[in-house]
Amino acid sequence: MTAPANAREALALVTDDFTELPRPEGPSDGDGPLGWPGHGRARAAAADRSGESESVVCGTGTVGGTRTVLVSFEFGFLGGSIGEGTGARVAAAHAHARAHRLPVTVLLATGGSRMQEGMRALVQLQRLAGESALTRAAGLPQLAVLRDPTTGGGWATLGAGSDVVLALPGAQVGFAGARVRPPDADPAAYTAESQLAHGHVDAVVPPGELRAVLGRWLALLTRPAEGPVPPPYALGGTEPSARGREAVARARRPERPRADRYLAEVFTERAELSGDRSGGTDPGIRCGFGRLPDGRTAAYAAQCGTATRPAGFRTAARLVRLAGRLGIPVLTLIDTPGAANDAEAERAGAGPAIAELFGAVAEARVPVTALLIGEGGSGGALALAAPGRTWATPDAYFSVIAPELATAILKRPPEEADVTADRLRLRPEDLVDLGVVEGVVGARPAHRAGRAD
């Protein structure tokens, strides 16, 4: 299946029952607010060629079982440029979404603001941002699909400002359009794939898969679970560790159950966010939304056993804030030897990134449940913990610092690390006694083995 060539093809790619919304009164048929010579004729010619009277088509449609407001850009109408008429239509679409409690999905293909309308066109970006902010405050999700091309103010408002950003393969994506870039600019930087690699896009989706992927996202973001997520059952050993050094050794075993196994046990279906929207990604942390066995949605942020990088903390903070806005409870899985501490991590803002996540969890509008499933190394692990709602598995530990590092700081010989581990009282049972965790989870009862229907 090929990429859609126009607004209507893009709509047909994702829905079979599109209903167009009433069109608000648009600008005059003259030469626009600047009196730009020939602008009226250019608009009329664009309408004849494209079959559309403006650069957007707005309406409602069902995607994968979820009704959504759809805003589809027509690149054949003056390069999909944003003018006063565009702003009026998109504003009306957002107002309809808020009135009917519908998510907003934008199918973008735009070259930016309409220069023939000057600043009257450029200030439409403020209008679009304002409408998006109102829809965000109403607790409604916003999704964007980036077609080719998506540049300029459309990318910097409706695209990058959406909660979830998908893109078609090979789409040109960037704030700078092709004709205004430096002559020596690397063209590969202005692609959907590059934006994905640098944390600005959540997924690149082939046209043939777009309807299913978009439908999954819409369903997950509009059906929140009620109340906190129960802590998952333990998937590894259930016997308590006799000593601190044993707890550390068990948590570091390569064969210990990791985040992927816990996520597969908890959720029947998942969709993942990617990137911190600040130029980075961290494959060592999984953030997204999943369907619980009862069909409702919970969000998750799960460390995968590696040192968490600044981009990972920022992505988790992004996840917690989005879940809070949408009323979706959060589950975090803690498993890291600690925050990345190399020079690159410091340059990327390790401290500010961890602070951002601490703040997001502290301010969360929804219940956050945390489960320690392996290593709990210092503040890099604690940032994902939920005050008053953190549990631990038996094959885990939580410590203010790794025993080996504590021993070095105390200027003790390395062989005393085991003694230090005992003194740190880092076993799950110790953590319960210290009031750090609520309890140690056990295995799923035999009569409830397997995932519930």
Side-chain angles (χ1 to χ4, degrees), residues 45-281:
D48 288 341
R49 286 193 304 269
S50 67
E52 306 296 346
S53 58
E54 195 33 276
S55 62
V56 285
V57 178
C58 302
T60 60
T62 301
V63 182
T66 302
R67 199 73 180 168
T68 179
V69 165
L70 288 157
V71 175
S72 188
F73 273 69
E74 175 54 64
F75 193 78
F77 189 97
L78 301 179
S81 58
I82 297 171
E84 287 188 289
T86 317
R89 290 194 183 189
V90 175
H94 271 271
H96 184 88
R98 294 192 295 271
H100 296 273
R101 303 294 303 166
L102 297 175
V104 176
T105 302
V106 183
L107 311 175
L108 275 161
T110 173
S113 298
R114 192 169 297 165
M115 65 181 182
Q116 297 92 338
E117 296 179 21
M119 284 302 298
R120 290 279 287 273
L122 191 64
V123 297
Q124 297 306 310
L125 303 184
Q126 294 175 319
R127 185 180 191 180
L128 299 182
E131 291 294 331
S132 179
L134 291 173
T135 301
R136 189 178 302 117
L140 299 170
Q142 299 174 68
L143 300 92
V145 176
L146 313 181
R147 296 153 52 206
D148 185 36
T150 296
T151 61
W155 164 231
T157 52
L158 298 175
S162 292
D163 299 318
V164 176
V165 182
L166 309 176
L168 296 181
Q172 180 185 176
V173 179
F175 185 66
R179 296 183 182 180
V180 297
R181 297 170 192 161
D184 59 347
D186 178 8
Y190 302 87
T191 62
E193 289 75 10
S194 177
Q195 299 290 355
L196 173 65
H198 291 88
H200 306 302
V201 165
D202 291 301
V204 174
V205 184
E209 299 175 17
L210 182 60
R211 182 180 294 207
V213 172
L214 187 58
R216 182 182 307 120
W217 270 112
L218 285 166
L220 287 171
L221 296 181
T222 56
R223 299 167 191 174
E226 296 182 2
V229 182
Y233 293 101
L235 299 180
T238 57
E239 294 297 319
S241 296
R243 301 282 300 275
R245 61 187 178 186
E246 181 185 345
V248 173
R250 288 176 62 179
R252 291 175 177 173
R253 285 186 305 125
E255 66 272 21
R256 172 183 52 78
R258 305 286 170 152
D260 282 342
R261 281 188 58 187
Y262 278 93
L263 293 174
E265 177 72 14
V266 173
F267 298 110
T268 62
E269 185 179 34
R270 303 195 308 272
E272 294 200 348
L273 301 174
S274 177
D276 63 357
R277 297 298 185 263
S278 296
T281 62

Side-chain angles (χ1 to χ4, degrees), residues 166 278 325 346 431:
L166 309 176
S278 296
R325 284 209 326 271
E346 292 298 337
L431 301 173

Side-chain angles (χ1 to χ4, degrees), residues 1 8-9 75 92 95 99 143 147 177 217 224 229 236 242 256 259 284-285 294 304 310 343 365 412 417 452:
M1 188 176 293
R8 302 284 173 172
E9 286 189 10
F75 193 78
L143 300 92
R147 296 153 52 206
W217 270 112
V229 182
R256 172 183 52 78
I285 191 164
D294 67 358
C304 299
R365 306 178 191 176
R412 305 288 187 183

